[in-house]
Amino acid sequence: MKAPLFHPGQEVICTNDDFTMLLVQNPNIQTPKRGPIYTVRDVYDTHNGFGITLHQINNAAVAPGFPEANFHESRFAPVPPLEEVDISAAIEESVTV
């Protein structure tokens, strides 16, 4: 069995925000959008692969009695780590005459 792409606490971005079919089933579900950075809240092993929930989106109360909507991991990409920059070197480069 393949491992999930993401883990709780990891930052991700949405690369596919077309949730038309999900919204037809329940128009009250909040869905991620392209652009913002999200944080993985939990990972679920589903019959279609792994799904994730996000800290910034909570759909727990949208359909009482049913599991919270999760989003397939293939719709997301990891946020690349920021490069560490030596501030003093950057300032020195910008001040050179």
Coordinates of all heavy atoms in Angstrom, one line a residue:
M1 N 0.8 -1.2 0.0 CA 0.0 0.0 0.0 C 0.9 1.2 0.0 O 1.9 1.3 0.7 CB -0.9 0.0 1.2 CG -1.6 1.3 1.4 SD -2.7 1.3 2.9 CE -4.2 1.2 2.1
K2 N 0.5 2.2 -0.8 CA 1.3 3.4 -0.8 C 1.0 4.4 0.3 O -0.1 4.4 0.8 CB 1.1 4.1 -2.2 CG 0.3 5.3 -2.2 CD 0.2 5.9 -3.6 CE -0.9 7.0 -3.5 NZ -1.0 7.8 -4.6
A3 N 2.0 5.1 0.7 CA 1.8 6.0 1.9 C 1.2 7.3 1.4 O 1.3 7.7 0.3 CB 3.2 6.3 2.5
P4 N 0.5 8.0 2.3 CA -0.1 9.3 2.0 C 1.0 10.3 1.6 O 2.1 10.2 2.0 CB -0.8 9.7 3.3 CG -0.3 8.9 4.4 CD 0.3 7.7 3.8
L5 N 0.6 11.3 0.8 CA 1.6 12.3 0.3 C 1.8 13.3 1.4 O 2.9 14.0 1.4 CB 1.0 13.0 -0.9 CG 0.8 12.2 -2.2 CD1 0.2 13.1 -3.3 CD2 2.2 11.7 -2.6
F6 N 0.9 13.5 2.3 CA 1.0 14.6 3.3 C 0.8 14.0 4.7 O 0.3 12.9 4.9 CB -0.1 15.7 3.0 CG 0.0 16.1 1.6 CD1 -1.0 15.9 0.7 CD2 1.1 16.9 1.2 CE1 -1.0 16.3 -0.6 CE2 1.1 17.3 -0.2 CZ 0.1 17.0 -1.0
H7 N 1.1 14.9 5.7 CA 0.9 14.5 7.1 C 0.3 15.7 7.9 O 0.5 16.8 7.5 CB 2.3 14.0 7.7 CG 3.3 15.1 7.6 ND1 3.4 16.1 8.5 CD2 4.3 15.2 6.7 CE1 4.4 16.9 8.2 NE2 5.0 16.4 7.1
P8 N -0.3 15.4 9.0 CA -0.9 16.5 9.8 C 0.2 17.5 10.2 O 1.3 17.1 10.5 CB -1.4 15.8 11.0 CG -1.8 14.4 10.5 CD -0.7 14.1 9.6
G9 N -0.2 18.8 10.0 CA 0.7 19.9 10.3 C 1.5 20.4 9.1 O 2.1 21.4 9.1
Q10 N 1.5 19.6 8.0 CA 2.2 20.0 6.8 C 1.4 21.1 6.1 O 0.2 21.1 6.0 CB 2.4 18.8 5.9 CG 3.2 19.1 4.7 CD 3.5 17.8 3.9 OE1 3.0 16.8 4.2 NE2 4.3 18.0 2.8
E11 N 2.1 22.1 5.5 CA 1.5 23.2 4.7 C 1.4 22.7 3.3 O 2.3 22.1 2.7 CB 2.3 24.4 4.8 CG 2.3 25.0 6.2 CD 3.0 26.4 6.3 OE1 4.0 26.6 5.6 OE2 2.5 27.2 7.1
V12 N 0.2 23.0 2.7 CA -0.1 22.6 1.3 C -0.8 23.8 0.6 O -1.3 24.7 1.2 CB -1.0 21.3 1.2 CG1 -0.3 20.1 1.8 CG2 -2.3 21.6 2.0
I13 N -0.8 23.7 -0.7 CA -1.6 24.6 -1.5 C -2.5 23.8 -2.4 O -2.2 22.7 -2.8 CB -0.7 25.6 -2.4 CG1 0.2 24.8 -3.3 CG2 0.0 26.5 -1.6 CD1 1.0 25.6 -4.3
C14 N -3.7 24.3 -2.7 CA -4.6 23.6 -3.6 C -4.3 23.9 -5.0 O -4.1 25.0 -5.4 CB -6.0 24.1 -3.3 SG -7.3 23.4 -4.2
T15 N -4.1 22.8 -5.8 CA -3.8 23.0 -7.2 C -5.0 22.7 -8.1 O -4.9 23.0 -9.3 CB -2.7 22.0 -7.6 OG1 -3.1 20.7 -7.3 CG2 -1.4 22.3 -6.8
N16 N -6.1 22.1 -7.6 CA -7.3 21.9 -8.3 C -8.5 22.2 -7.4 O -8.8 21.4 -6.6 CB -7.3 20.4 -8.8 CG -8.6 20.0 -9.5 OD1 -9.5 20.8 -9.6 ND2 -8.6 18.8 -10.0
D17 N -9.1 23.4 -7.7 CA -10.2 23.8 -6.8 C -11.6 23.7 -7.5 O -12.5 24.3 -7.1 CB -10.0 25.2 -6.3 CG -9.9 26.3 -7.4 OD1 -10.0 25.9 -8.6 OD2 -9.8 27.4 -7.0
D18 N -11.7 22.7 -8.4 CA -12.9 22.5 -9.1 C -13.7 21.4 -8.3 O -13.5 20.2 -8.5 CB -12.8 22.0 -10.5 CG -14.1 21.7 -11.2 OD1 -15.1 22.0 -10.6 OD2 -14.0 21.3 -12.4
F19 N -14.5 21.8 -7.4 CA -15.3 20.8 -6.5 C -16.7 20.8 -6.9 O -17.6 20.6 -6.1 CB -15.1 21.3 -5.0 CG -13.7 21.1 -4.5 CD1 -12.8 22.1 -4.5 CD2 -13.3 19.8 -4.1 CE1 -11.5 22.0 -4.0 CE2 -12.0 19.7 -3.6 CZ -11.1 20.7 -3.6
T20 N -17.0 21.0 -8.2 CA -18.4 21.0 -8.7 C -19.2 19.8 -8.2 O -20.3 20.0 -7.7 CB -18.4 21.1 -10.2 OG1 -17.6 22.2 -10.6 CG2 -19.8 21.2 -10.8
M21 N -18.7 18.6 -8.4 CA -19.5 17.4 -8.0 C -19.7 17.4 -6.5 O -20.8 17.0 -6.1 CB -18.7 16.1 -8.4 CG -18.6 16.0 -10.0 SD -20.2 16.0 -10.8 CE -20.9 14.5 -10.2
L22 N -18.8 17.7 -5.7 CA -19.0 17.7 -4.3 C -20.0 18.8 -3.9 O -20.9 18.5 -3.0 CB -17.6 18.0 -3.6 CG -17.6 18.1 -2.0 CD1 -18.1 16.7 -1.4 CD2 -16.3 18.5 -1.5
L23 N -20.0 20.0 -4.5 CA -20.9 21.0 -4.2 C -22.3 20.7 -4.7 O -23.3 21.2 -4.1 CB -20.4 22.3 -4.7 CG -19.1 22.9 -4.0 CD1 -18.6 24.1 -4.8 CD2 -19.4 23.2 -2.6
V24 N -22.4 19.9 -5.7 CA -23.8 19.5 -6.2 C -24.4 18.6 -5.1 O -25.6 18.7 -4.8 CB -23.7 18.7 -7.5 CG1 -25.0 17.9 -7.8 CG2 -23.4 19.7 -8.6
Q25 N -23.6 17.7 -4.4 CA -24.1 16.9 -3.4 C -24.5 17.7 -2.1 O -25.4 17.3 -1.5 CB -23.0 15.8 -3.0 CG -22.7 14.9 -4.1 CD -21.5 14.0 -3.7 OE1 -20.7 14.3 -2.8 NE2 -21.3 12.9 -4.4
N26 N -23.7 18.7 -1.8 CA -24.0 19.5 -0.6 C -23.4 20.9 -0.9 O -22.2 21.1 -0.7 CB -23.4 18.9 0.6 CG -23.9 19.6 1.9 OD1 -24.2 20.8 1.8 ND2 -23.9 18.9 3.0
P27 N -24.2 21.9 -1.3 CA -23.7 23.2 -1.5 C -23.2 24.0 -0.3 O -22.6 25.0 -0.5 CB -24.9 23.9 -2.2 CG -26.1 23.1 -1.8 CD -25.6 21.7 -1.5
N28 N -23.4 23.4 0.9 CA -22.9 24.1 2.1 C -21.5 23.8 2.5 O -21.0 24.4 3.4 CB -23.9 23.8 3.3 CG -25.3 24.3 3.0 OD1 -25.5 25.4 2.5 ND2 -26.2 23.4 3.3
I29 N -20.9 22.9 1.8 CA -19.5 22.5 2.1 C -18.6 23.6 1.7 O -18.6 24.1 0.6 CB -19.1 21.2 1.4 CG1 -19.9 20.0 2.0 CG2 -17.6 20.9 1.5 CD1 -19.7 18.7 1.3
Q30 N -17.7 23.9 2.6 CA -16.6 24.9 2.3 C -15.5 24.1 1.6 O -15.1 23.0 2.1 CB -16.1 25.5 3.6 CG -17.0 26.4 4.3 CD -16.4 26.9 5.6 OE1 -15.2 27.2 5.7 NE2 -17.2 26.9 6.7
T31 N -14.9 24.7 0.5 CA -13.9 24.0 -0.2 C -12.6 24.9 -0.3 O -12.8 26.1 -0.2 CB -14.4 23.7 -1.6 OG1 -14.7 24.9 -2.3 CG2 -15.5 22.7 -1.6
P32 N -11.5 24.3 -0.4 CA -10.3 25.1 -0.6 C -10.2 25.8 -1.9 O -10.8 25.3 -2.9 CB -9.1 24.1 -0.4 CG -9.8 22.7 -0.6 CD -11.2 22.9 -0.4
K33 N -9.5 26.9 -2.0 CA -9.3 27.6 -3.2 C -7.8 27.6 -3.6 O -7.0 27.5 -2.7 CB -9.8 29.1 -3.0 CG -11.2 29.2 -2.5 CD -12.2 28.8 -3.5 CE -13.6 28.9 -3.0 NZ -14.4 27.7 -3.0
R34 N -7.5 27.9 -4.9 CA -6.1 28.0 -5.3 C -5.6 29.3 -4.7 O -6.3 30.3 -4.6 CB -6.0 28.1 -6.8 CG -6.2 26.8 -7.5 CD -6.0 27.0 -9.0 NE -6.2 25.7 -9.6 CZ -5.8 25.4 -10.8 NH1 -5.0 26.3 -11.5 NH2 -6.0 24.3 -11.3
G35 N -4.4 29.3 -4.2 CA -3.7 30.5 -3.7 C -3.3 30.4 -2.3 O -2.1 30.5 -2.0
P36 N -4.3 30.3 -1.4 CA -3.9 30.4 0.1 C -3.1 29.1 0.4 O -3.2 28.1 -0.2 CB -5.2 30.4 0.8 CG -6.2 30.7 -0.2 CD -5.7 30.3 -1.5
I37 N -2.3 29.3 1.5 CA -1.6 28.1 2.1 C -2.5 27.6 3.2 O -3.0 28.3 4.0 CB -0.3 28.6 2.7 CG1 0.7 29.1 1.6 CG2 0.4 27.5 3.5 CD1 2.0 29.6 2.0
Y38 N -2.7 26.2 3.1 CA -3.5 25.5 4.1 C -2.6 24.6 4.9 O -1.5 24.2 4.5 CB -4.6 24.7 3.4 CG -5.6 25.5 2.6 CD1 -5.4 25.7 1.3 CD2 -6.6 26.1 3.3 CE1 -6.4 26.4 0.6 CE2 -7.6 26.8 2.6 CZ -7.4 27.0 1.2 OH -8.4 27.7 0.5
T39 N -3.1 24.2 6.1 CA -2.3 23.3 7.0 C -3.2 22.0 7.1 O -4.4 22.1 7.5 CB -2.1 23.9 8.4 OG1 -1.4 25.1 8.2 CG2 -1.2 23.0 9.2
V40 N -2.6 20.9 6.9 CA -3.3 19.6 7.0 C -3.6 19.3 8.4 O -2.8 19.4 9.3 CB -2.4 18.4 6.4 CG1 -3.1 17.1 6.6 CG2 -2.0 18.6 5.0
R41 N -4.9 19.1 8.6 CA -5.4 18.8 10.0 C -5.4 17.3 10.2 O -5.0 16.8 11.3 CB -6.8 19.3 10.1 CG -7.4 19.0 11.5 CD -8.7 19.8 11.8 NE -9.5 20.2 10.7 CZ -10.7 19.7 10.4 NH1 -11.2 18.7 11.1 NH2 -11.4 20.2 9.3
D42 N -5.8 16.5 9.2 CA -5.9 15.0 9.4 C -5.8 14.4 8.0 O -6.1 15.0 7.0 CB -7.1 14.6 10.1 CG -6.9 13.4 11.0 OD1 -5.9 12.7 10.8 OD2 -7.8 13.2 11.9
V43 N -5.4 13.1 8.0 CA -5.3 12.3 6.8 C -6.2 11.1 6.9 O -6.2 10.4 8.0 CB -3.9 11.8 6.5 CG1 -3.8 11.0 5.3 CG2 -2.9 13.0 6.4
Y44 N -7.0 10.8 5.9 CA -8.0 9.7 5.9 C -7.7 8.7 4.8 O -7.4 9.1 3.6 CB -9.4 10.2 5.7 CG -9.8 11.1 6.9 CD1 -9.6 12.5 6.8 CD2 -10.4 10.6 8.0 CE1 -9.9 13.3 7.9 CE2 -10.8 11.4 9.1 CZ -10.5 12.8 9.0 OH -10.9 13.6 10.0
D45 N -7.7 7.4 5.1 CA -7.5 6.4 4.1 C -8.9 6.0 3.6 O -9.7 5.5 4.3 CB -6.9 5.1 4.7 CG -6.5 4.1 3.7 OD1 -6.7 4.3 2.5 OD2 -5.9 3.0 4.2
T46 N -9.2 6.4 2.3 CA -10.5 6.2 1.7 C -10.4 5.1 0.7 O -9.4 4.7 0.3 CB -11.1 7.5 1.2 OG1 -10.4 7.8 -0.1 CG2 -11.0 8.7 2.1
H47 N -11.6 4.7 0.1 CA -11.6 3.7 -1.0 C -11.0 4.3 -2.3 O -10.7 3.5 -3.2 CB -13.0 3.2 -1.2 CG -14.0 4.2 -1.6 ND1 -14.6 5.1 -0.8 CD2 -14.4 4.5 -2.9 CE1 -15.4 5.9 -1.5 NE2 -15.3 5.6 -2.7
N48 N -10.8 5.6 -2.3 CA -10.2 6.2 -3.5 C -8.8 6.8 -3.3 O -8.4 7.6 -4.0 CB -11.1 7.4 -4.0 CG -12.4 6.9 -4.7 OD1 -12.4 5.8 -5.2 ND2 -13.4 7.7 -4.6
G49 N -8.2 6.3 -2.2 CA -6.9 6.9 -1.9 C -7.0 7.7 -0.6 O -7.9 7.5 0.2
F50 N -6.0 8.6 -0.4 CA -6.0 9.4 0.8 C -6.7 10.7 0.6 O -6.6 11.4 -0.4 CB -4.6 9.6 1.3 CG -3.9 8.3 1.8 CD1 -3.1 7.6 0.9 CD2 -4.2 7.8 3.0 CE1 -2.5 6.4 1.3 CE2 -3.6 6.7 3.5 CZ -2.8 6.0 2.6
G51 N -7.5 11.1 1.6 CA -8.1 12.4 1.7 C -7.6 13.2 2.9 O -7.1 12.6 3.8
I52 N -7.6 14.5 2.8 CA -7.2 15.3 3.9 C -8.2 16.3 4.3 O -9.1 16.7 3.5 CB -5.9 16.1 3.5 CG1 -6.1 17.0 2.4 CG2 -4.7 15.1 3.2 CD1 -4.8 17.9 2.0
T53 N -8.2 16.7 5.6 CA -8.9 17.9 6.1 C -7.9 18.9 6.4 O -6.7 18.7 6.6 CB -9.8 17.5 7.3 OG1 -8.9 16.9 8.3 CG2 -10.9 16.6 7.0
L54 N -8.4 20.2 6.5 CA -7.5 21.3 6.6 C -7.9 22.1 7.9 O -9.1 22.3 8.2 CB -7.6 22.2 5.4 CG -7.4 21.5 4.1 CD1 -7.8 22.3 2.9 CD2 -5.9 21.1 4.0
H55 N -6.9 22.6 8.6 CA -7.2 23.5 9.8 C -8.1 24.7 9.4 O -8.9 25.1 10.2 CB -5.9 23.9 10.4 CG -5.2 22.9 11.3 ND1 -5.7 22.6 12.5 CD2 -4.2 22.1 11.1 CE1 -5.0 21.6 13.1 NE2 -4.0 21.4 12.2
Q56 N -7.9 25.2 8.3 CA -8.6 26.5 7.9 C -10.0 26.3 7.4 O -10.8 27.2 7.3 CB -7.8 27.2 6.8 CG -6.4 27.7 7.2 CD -5.3 26.6 7.3 OE1 -5.5 25.5 6.9 NE2 -4.1 27.0 7.6
I57 N -10.4 25.0 7.2 CA -11.7 24.7 6.7 C -12.3 23.6 7.7 O -11.7 22.5 7.8 CB -11.7 24.2 5.3 CG1 -11.2 25.3 4.4 CG2 -13.1 23.7 4.9 CD1 -11.1 24.9 2.9
N58 N -13.5 23.9 8.2 CA -14.1 22.9 9.1 C -15.6 22.6 8.6 O -16.4 23.5 8.6 CB -14.2 23.4 10.5 CG -14.7 22.3 11.5 OD1 -15.4 21.5 11.1 ND2 -14.2 22.4 12.7
N59 N -15.8 21.4 8.1 CA -17.1 21.0 7.6 C -17.8 20.0 8.5 O -18.7 19.3 8.1 CB -16.9 20.4 6.2 CG -16.7 21.5 5.1 OD1 -17.4 22.5 5.0 ND2 -15.6 21.3 4.4
A60 N -17.3 19.9 9.7 CA -17.9 18.9 10.6 C -19.4 19.0 10.8 O -20.1 18.0 11.0 CB -17.1 18.9 12.0
A61 N -19.9 20.2 10.9 CA -21.3 20.4 11.1 C -22.2 20.5 9.9 O -23.4 20.7 10.0 CB -21.5 21.7 12.0
V62 N -21.6 20.4 8.7 CA -22.3 20.5 7.5 C -23.3 19.4 7.2 O -24.4 19.6 6.8 CB -21.4 20.7 6.3 CG1 -22.1 20.7 5.0 CG2 -20.5 22.0 6.4
A63 N -22.9 18.2 7.6 CA -23.8 17.0 7.3 C -23.8 16.2 8.6 O -23.1 15.2 8.7 CB -23.3 16.2 6.1
P64 N -24.6 16.6 9.6 CA -24.6 15.8 10.9 C -24.9 14.3 10.6 O -25.7 13.9 9.8 CB -25.7 16.5 11.7 CG -25.9 17.8 11.1 CD -25.5 17.7 9.6
G65 N -24.1 13.5 11.4 CA -24.3 12.0 11.2 C -23.4 11.4 10.2 O -23.4 10.2 10.0
F66 N -22.7 12.2 9.4 CA -21.8 11.7 8.3 C -20.4 12.2 8.7 O -20.2 13.2 9.3 CB -22.2 12.3 7.0 CG -23.5 11.7 6.5 CD1 -24.7 12.3 6.7 CD2 -23.5 10.5 5.8 CE1 -25.9 11.8 6.3 CE2 -24.7 9.9 5.3 CZ -25.9 10.6 5.6
P67 N -19.4 11.5 8.2 CA -18.0 12.0 8.4 C -17.8 13.3 7.7 O -18.5 13.6 6.7 CB -17.2 10.9 7.7 CG -18.1 9.7 7.5 CD -19.5 10.2 7.4
E68 N -16.9 14.1 8.2 CA -16.6 15.4 7.7 C -16.0 15.2 6.2 O -15.2 14.3 6.0 CB -15.6 16.1 8.5 CG -15.2 17.5 8.0 CD -14.2 18.2 8.9 OE1 -13.8 17.7 9.9 OE2 -13.9 19.4 8.6
A69 N -16.4 16.1 5.3 CA -15.9 16.0 4.0 C -14.4 16.2 4.0 O -13.9 17.1 4.7 CB -16.5 17.1 3.1
N70 N -13.7 15.4 3.2 CA -12.2 15.5 3.1 C -11.9 15.7 1.6 O -12.8 15.4 0.8 CB -11.5 14.4 3.7 CG -11.9 13.0 3.2 OD1 -11.5 12.7 2.1 ND2 -12.7 12.2 3.9
F71 N -10.8 16.1 1.3 CA -10.4 16.4 -0.1 C -9.2 15.5 -0.5 O -8.3 15.4 0.2 CB -10.0 17.9 -0.1 CG -11.0 18.8 0.5 CD1 -10.8 19.4 1.7 CD2 -12.2 19.1 -0.2 CE1 -11.8 20.2 2.3 CE2 -13.2 19.9 0.4 CZ -13.0 20.4 1.7
H72 N -9.4 15.0 -1.7 CA -8.4 14.0 -2.2 C -7.0 14.7 -2.3 O -6.8 15.8 -2.8 CB -8.8 13.5 -3.6 CG -8.0 12.2 -3.9 ND1 -6.8 12.3 -4.6 CD2 -8.3 10.9 -3.7 CE1 -6.4 11.0 -4.7 NE2 -7.2 10.2 -4.2
E73 N -6.0 14.0 -1.8 CA -4.6 14.5 -1.8 C -4.1 14.9 -3.1 O -3.2 15.8 -3.2 CB -3.7 13.5 -1.1 CG -3.4 12.3 -1.9 CD -2.5 11.3 -1.2 OE1 -2.0 11.6 -0.1 OE2 -2.2 10.3 -1.8
S74 N -4.6 14.4 -4.2 CA -4.1 14.7 -5.5 C -4.4 16.2 -5.9 O -3.9 16.7 -6.9 CB -4.7 13.8 -6.6 OG -6.1 14.0 -6.7
R75 N -5.3 16.8 -5.2 CA -5.7 18.2 -5.4 C -4.7 19.2 -4.8 O -4.9 20.4 -4.9 CB -7.1 18.5 -4.9 CG -8.2 17.7 -5.7 CD -9.5 18.0 -5.1 NE -10.6 17.4 -5.8 CZ -11.2 18.0 -6.8 NH1 -10.9 19.2 -7.2 NH2 -12.2 17.4 -7.5
F76 N -3.7 18.7 -4.1 CA -2.8 19.6 -3.4 C -1.3 19.3 -3.7 O -1.0 18.3 -4.2 CB -3.0 19.3 -1.9 CG -4.4 19.7 -1.4 CD1 -5.4 18.7 -1.5 CD2 -4.7 21.0 -1.0 CE1 -6.7 19.0 -1.1 CE2 -6.0 21.3 -0.6 CZ -7.0 20.3 -0.6
A77 N -0.5 20.3 -3.4 CA 1.0 20.2 -3.5 C 1.6 20.7 -2.2 O 1.0 21.6 -1.6 CB 1.5 21.0 -4.7
P78 N 2.7 20.2 -1.8 CA 3.4 20.7 -0.6 C 3.9 22.1 -0.9 O 4.3 22.5 -2.0 CB 4.5 19.7 -0.4 CG 4.8 19.1 -1.7 CD 3.5 19.1 -2.5
V79 N 3.9 22.9 0.2 CA 4.5 24.2 0.1 C 6.0 24.0 0.3 O 6.5 23.4 1.2 CB 4.0 25.1 1.3 CG1 4.8 26.4 1.3 CG2 2.5 25.4 1.1
P80 N 6.8 24.5 -0.7 CA 8.3 24.2 -0.6 C 8.9 25.0 0.6 O 8.4 26.1 0.9 CB 8.8 24.8 -1.9 CG 7.7 25.6 -2.5 CD 6.5 25.2 -1.9
P81 N 9.9 24.5 1.2 CA 10.5 25.2 2.3 C 11.2 26.4 1.9 O 11.7 26.5 0.7 CB 11.5 24.2 2.9 CG 11.8 23.2 1.7 CD 10.6 23.2 0.9
L82 N 11.1 27.5 2.7 CA 11.8 28.7 2.4 C 13.3 28.6 2.5 O 13.8 27.9 3.4 CB 11.3 29.8 3.4 CG 9.8 30.2 3.3 CD1 9.5 31.2 4.4 CD2 9.5 30.8 1.9
E83 N 14.0 29.2 1.6 CA 15.4 29.2 1.7 C 15.9 30.1 2.9 O 15.3 31.1 3.1 CB 16.0 29.8 0.4 CG 16.1 28.9 -0.7 CD 16.9 29.5 -1.9 OE1 18.0 30.1 -1.6 OE2 16.4 29.5 -3.0
E84 N 16.9 29.7 3.6 CA 17.4 30.5 4.6 C 18.3 31.5 3.9 O 19.1 31.2 3.1 CB 18.2 29.7 5.6 CG 17.4 28.9 6.5 CD 18.1 28.3 7.6 OE1 19.2 28.8 8.1 OE2 17.7 27.2 8.1
V85 N 18.2 32.8 4.2 CA 18.9 33.9 3.6 C 19.8 34.5 4.7 O 19.3 34.8 5.8 CB 18.0 34.9 3.0 CG1 18.8 36.1 2.4 CG2 17.1 34.2 1.9
D86 N 21.0 34.7 4.4 CA 21.9 35.4 5.3 C 21.6 36.9 5.1 O 22.0 37.5 4.1 CB 23.4 35.1 4.9 CG 24.3 35.8 5.9 OD1 23.9 36.6 6.7 OD2 25.6 35.6 5.7
I87 N 20.9 37.5 6.1 CA 20.5 38.9 6.0 C 21.7 39.8 5.8 O 21.6 40.8 5.0 CB 19.6 39.3 7.2 CG1 18.4 38.4 7.3 CG2 19.3 40.8 7.2 CD1 17.4 38.6 6.2
S88 N 22.7 39.6 6.5 CA 23.9 40.5 6.4 C 24.5 40.5 5.0 O 24.8 41.6 4.5 CB 24.9 40.2 7.5 OG 25.4 38.9 7.3
A89 N 24.5 39.4 4.4 CA 25.1 39.3 3.1 C 24.1 40.0 2.1 O 24.6 40.7 1.2 CB 25.3 37.8 2.7
A90 N 22.8 39.8 2.3 CA 21.8 40.4 1.4 C 21.9 42.0 1.5 O 21.9 42.7 0.5 CB 20.4 40.0 1.7
I91 N 22.1 42.5 2.7 CA 22.2 43.9 2.9 C 23.5 44.4 2.3 O 23.5 45.4 1.6 CB 22.1 44.3 4.4 CG1 20.7 44.0 4.9 CG2 22.5 45.7 4.7 CD1 20.6 44.1 6.4
E92 N 24.6 43.7 2.5 CA 25.9 44.1 1.9 C 25.8 44.2 0.4 O 26.3 45.1 -0.2 CB 26.9 43.1 2.4 CG 28.3 43.6 2.1 CD 29.3 42.6 2.7 OE1 29.3 42.3 3.9 OE2 30.2 42.1 1.9
E93 N 25.1 43.2 -0.2 CA 25.0 43.2 -1.7 C 24.2 44.4 -2.2 O 24.5 45.0 -3.2 CB 24.3 41.9 -2.2 CG 25.2 40.7 -2.1 CD 24.5 39.4 -2.5 OE1 23.4 39.5 -3.1 OE2 25.0 38.4 -2.2
S94 N 23.2 44.8 -1.4 CA 22.3 45.9 -1.9 C 22.9 47.3 -1.6 O 22.5 48.2 -2.2 CB 20.9 45.8 -1.2 OG 21.1 46.0 0.2
V95 N 23.9 47.3 -0.7 CA 24.5 48.6 -0.4 C 25.8 48.9 -1.2 O 26.2 50.0 -1.3 CB 24.9 48.6 1.1 CG1 25.7 49.9 1.5 CG2 23.7 48.5 2.0
T96 N 26.3 47.9 -1.9 CA 27.5 48.1 -2.7 C 27.3 49.2 -3.7 O 26.3 49.3 -4.3 CB 28.0 46.8 -3.3 OG1 26.9 46.3 -4.2 CG2 28.4 45.8 -2.3
V97 N 28.4 50.0 -3.9 CA 28.3 51.1 -4.8 C 29.0 50.8 -6.1 O 29.9 50.1 -6.4 CB 29.0 52.4 -4.2 CG1 28.9 53.5 -5.1 CG2 28.4 52.7 -2.9

